[in-house]
Amino acid sequence: MTVAFPNGVNCPLYTHAVAMMRSAEFPSAEALMRQSLQSEGETAISYHYLAEIVASDPARIREAIGWQQKALSLAPHNSVFIAALGSRLRDGGLEKEALDVLEYALEVDENNAIALPLILRLRRQFLAWTDVEQETATLQRQLSHQHKFAPLTLLTLIDDPELQLANARLAAPVSRQIDLRPHPPGDRIRVGYFSADIYDHPTMHLFEGALRAHDRDRFEFFVYDLAPREGGYQQLVQEIADTYRDVSAISAGQIAEVARRDQIDIAVDLKGDTFQSRPEIFAHRAAPAQVSFLGFPGTSGMADMDFMVADAITIPPEAEHCYSERILRMPQCYQPNTNPRYSPADTNMRDRFGIPQDRFVFATFNNIYKIGPREFATWMEILKAAPDSVLVFYLSNLDLKDRLIAKVKAAGVDPDRVILTGPLPQKDHLDRISQVDLCLDCFSYNAHTTASDAIWCGVPILTLCGEQFAARVATSILHAANLAELSVTSVADYVQLAAALAKDPERLSRIKRQLKEERDQLPLFDTQTWTRDFEGLLEAVYQESRA
């Protein structure tokens, strides 16, 4: 047994299996690779490719891990096989084990092309980064070797819209070059929404009100559910949609074909490049006009994605060249919000959530992967500048408590000033938000739903306005909430304003009173007007596609 077949050795079954794998003909590739292992001999690379073939079926990921371990047993110091095992472990949900294996792969080869794109996200997920210098060095090694990132990961790591576009194009599915002419006009414009998030998910929290408010006389709505989950939101969508289709069991090409048979005029991708997305649907051209909206705060990089919904703040005119799509701008904030919805009572509930009564309370409710060493260092600086304050810190995985406490201590801050909090049902979460004084935003990838939730609960959020869409969302939300002064353009201003608000309770009270008095009249929460404006964009897209 060897790492690979020696040069000159005839191994047609292996060669054919690899060709089939690269053509995504996985059943044929698996059969050929198993025959090769039996008749042409065992090599580490054969088991490595067998693992890759088997991993094409998510239901068989544990089997793929076994084959990858077999490959590594034959070549225990091969950094590619080490990193591939880390990748398989991550895909199998064994993310902490994956992190350890990927760190080892980078010890063997610091430029490993498999490990580098994965390690940065996993370090953030487990608070395993050391400092800004380490994260920057790892990122630069990845970029210098032109390895592609998962687009969602890169958004969290660097604020550079041109780089995001280049990476998105590398990651985008290949266009199938389907020229789809406009369908015969019907009584209504046919719009198809594609999503895997029809459950208790931020997308539905935001978009539910608009779905209810849609004009059924002008539009006919189709919903293509990529990952159905039983529950209230699925039932709601089934009742609201003119046509609901569970398409989870068919291929991307088949989904596009179903949409073409439905003769939808506009396909709206509510996922983008996020968990359980199916961008290949749009590479197969599901509709004459295709629109990226809401699910992913960046460019798709796809030649077949015609439009992207934004506003004048998230994508100003001078930044349009950084997006592969044509930009459709909403008159106010691009983000929909549902109004009416549950609203926390205007009462003191701090004891219920373990929040001190006598301190100024900062909070971050962002997902941990958005928080890097730069944000963390800045928040520790704010706590030092406002000594009578505490920070409520959301952790979806409370097992990370000890690691977070260690980082707080290393920053020279008393760990008792950081109050850990975890997942709660939506109504309880909104009650919790309502008890804090000021939310602190992340930088490259802002709070989105979390930001508008805070405003809805009467709590301001402080943001650092960046360059890319994801780094400008909270600024757009604040403008639509008449709180533009809480968007700053430097870390120094961010720290200064946070500390100033903590030391000026009357100023903060004025902001909160303003939110309470104006909330239901704010553009941010005017669901009916937002829906009419959005429908205006859809109608313009429809008319242009027929021109």
Side-chain angles (χ1 to χ4, degrees):
M1 293 185 287
T2 61
V3 175
F5 289 103
N7 289 334
V9 171
N10 187 28
C11 47
L13 291 170
Y14 167 84
T15 302
H16 194 191
V18 173
M20 289 290 97
M21 177 191 72
R22 289 174 176 163
S23 299
E25 300 289 341
F26 296 115
S28 298
E30 181 177 354
L32 288 164
M33 191 62 76
R34 288 182 182 277
Q35 291 175 41
S36 171
L37 284 162
Q38 188 172 19
S39 62
E40 294 175 338
E42 295 179 280
T43 68
I45 193 69
S46 299
Y47 284 114
H48 170 73
Y49 282 138
L50 180 59
E52 184 170 341
I53 292 163
V54 170
S56 66
D57 180 355
R60 299 176 66 191
I61 191 62
R62 294 303 175 105
E63 181 186 349
I65 291 170
W67 292 124
Q68 194 66 56
Q69 289 171 327
K70 177 68 174 177
L72 190 57
S73 72
L74 301 178
H77 304 296
N78 185 296
S79 69
V80 172
F81 298 160
I82 297 168
L85 176 59
S87 178
R88 304 286 172 240
L89 289 167
R90 187 205 61 159
D91 292 344
L94 302 171
E95 293 169 320
K96 181 61 177 70
E97 294 85 346
L99 175 61
D100 294 339
V101 171
L102 291 166
E103 292 285 13
Y104 176 53
L106 289 176
E107 289 178 17
V108 177
D109 175 10
E110 68 175 12
N111 297 315
N112 185 280
I114 299 173
L116 281 173
L118 300 176
I119 198 74
L120 288 163
R121 172 71 177 252
L122 287 170
R123 282 176 180 166
R124 286 199 172 190
Q125 189 171 332
F126 290 97
L127 288 172
W129 44 262
T130 55
D131 51 32
V132 173
E133 289 72 22
Q134 179 215 38
E135 184 165 279
T136 300
T138 305
L139 176 63
Q140 290 305 318
R141 282 204 304 277
Q142 167 80 352
L143 295 174
S144 67
H145 288 81
Q146 298 183 323
H147 302 319
K148 69 180 178 182
F149 279 89
L152 186 65
T153 296
L154 190 61
L155 283 179
T156 68
L157 296 171
I158 190 168
D159 178 17
D160 184 336
E162 291 188 353
L163 179 62
Q164 303 293 349
L165 174 59
N167 183 70
R169 283 178 167 154
L170 287 175
V174 176
S175 171
R176 299 307 176 108
Q177 302 291 325
I178 295 173
D179 183 18
L180 183 60
R181 308 310 302 163
H183 299 301
D187 295 334
R188 296 178 291 172
I189 299 171
R190 294 177 293 269
V191 177
Y193 288 119
F194 296 75
S195 181
D197 297 329
I198 301 173
Y199 65 105
D200 188 13
H201 183 277
T203 294
M204 288 304 300
H205 299 164
L206 294 174
F207 203 39
E208 176 187 351
L211 287 173
R212 292 182 183 275
H214 265 320
D215 185 345
R216 297 304 189 280
D217 293 330
R218 294 167 59 204
F219 296 91
E220 181 178 1
F221 291 100
F222 295 74
V223 172
Y224 301 90
D225 196 340
L226 308 179
R229 294 169 173 83
E230 292 185 2
Y233 280 108
Q234 187 191 53
Q235 183 178 349
L236 166 70
V237 168
Q238 288 174 339
E239 292 171 355
I240 291 175
D242 294 281
T243 302
Y244 169 89
R245 300 199 188 283
D246 173 356
V247 294
S248 57
I250 60 177
S251 70
Q254 290 169 324
I255 295 171
E257 186 178 345
V258 168
R260 291 194 297 268
R261 285 202 304 267
D262 287 335
Q263 296 193 343
I264 62 169
D265 301 301
I266 304 170
V268 181
D269 179 15
L270 293 173
K271 282 297 297 175
D273 202 324
T274 57
F275 179 63
Q276 292 186 313
S277 64
R278 305 284 294 276
E280 297 84 1
I281 296 167
F282 308 100
H284 283 86
R285 183 59 68 173
Q290 303 192 135
V291 179
S292 174
F293 171 57
L294 193 59
F296 181 74
T299 184
S300 69
M302 292 179 61
D304 295 293
M305 192 60 71
D306 307 302
F307 302 96
M308 177 180 176
V309 178
D311 56 51
I313 293 174
T314 48
I315 303 181
E318 63 271 19
E320 288 186 7
H321 68 281
C322 299
Y323 299 82
S324 60
E325 306 85 355
R326 288 179 54 194
I327 305 305
L328 303 171
R329 286 192 179 82
M330 293 289 286
Q332 296 285 341
C333 181
Y334 84 100
Q335 186 194 76
N337 275 280
T338 298
N339 184 7
R341 63 186 291 206
Y342 172 77
S343 185
D346 188 15
T347 58
N348 188 319
M349 296 179 276
R350 284 192 170 186
D351 290 344
R352 174 180 158 196
F353 299 106
I355 298 173
Q357 297 285 350
D358 59 347
R359 297 292 188 95
F360 185 93
V361 181
F362 295 109
T364 170
F365 294 108
N366 287 289
N367 282 317
I368 193 68
Y369 67 82
K370 294 184 180 182
I371 301 170
R374 186 173 175 228
E375 285 89 351
F376 189 84
T378 302
W379 298 340
M380 295 301 102
E381 186 178 347
I382 288 169
L383 289 179
K384 292 175 183 176
D388 291 327
S389 66
V390 296
L391 173 65
V392 172
F393 198 110
Y394 173 82
L395 279 178
S396 59
N397 179 4
L398 292 176
D399 291 341
L400 297 176
K401 175 182 177 180
D402 291 345
R403 187 165 287 177
L404 178 63
I405 288 173
K407 289 189 178 298
V408 173
K409 286 181 178 178
V413 173
D414 182 350
D416 289 341
R417 295 180 62 197
V418 177
I419 301 165
L420 300 187
T421 192
L424 287 175
Q426 177 69 2
K427 289 182 179 180
D428 293 327
H429 173 57
L430 295 178
D431 284 344
R432 176 175 57 189
I433 292 176
S434 72
Q435 300 306 297
V436 310
D437 294 306
L438 180 67
C439 287
L440 299 175
D441 200 12
C442 298
F443 301 156
S444 296
Y445 194 136
N446 289 170
H448 290 42
T449 310
T450 299
S452 50
D453 280 349
I455 300 297
W456 177 257
C457 294
V459 176
I461 183 168
L462 175 62
T463 193
L464 174 66
C465 185
E467 299 297 325
Q468 64 195 21
F469 186 112
R472 301 175 68 87
V473 168
T475 297
S476 175
I477 289 170
L478 286 167
H479 274 258
N482 297 333
L483 289 174
E485 69 271 20
L486 295 181
S487 173
V488 299
T489 56
S490 73
V491 172
D493 287 345
Y494 183 98
V495 172
Q496 186 277 326
L497 183 52
L501 288 169
K503 296 173 182 178
D504 189 348
E506 179 52 35
R507 182 180 179 186
L508 187 76
S509 294
R510 286 197 304 270
I511 293 172
K512 288 194 163 189
R513 275 198 307 273
Q514 174 186 328
L515 276 180
K516 182 179 178 181
E517 292 167 1
E518 297 181 358
R519 188 191 71 176
D520 288 324
Q521 287 73 49
L522 291 173
L524 183 63
F525 300 120
D526 187 347
T527 303
Q528 295 295 325
T529 298
W530 186 95
T531 305
R532 300 290 86 79
D533 290 338
F534 183 67
E535 289 172 345
L537 293 185
L538 294 177
E539 188 152 5
V541 166
Y542 173 74
Q543 296 298 340
E544 181 177 326
S545 71
R546 303 195 66 79

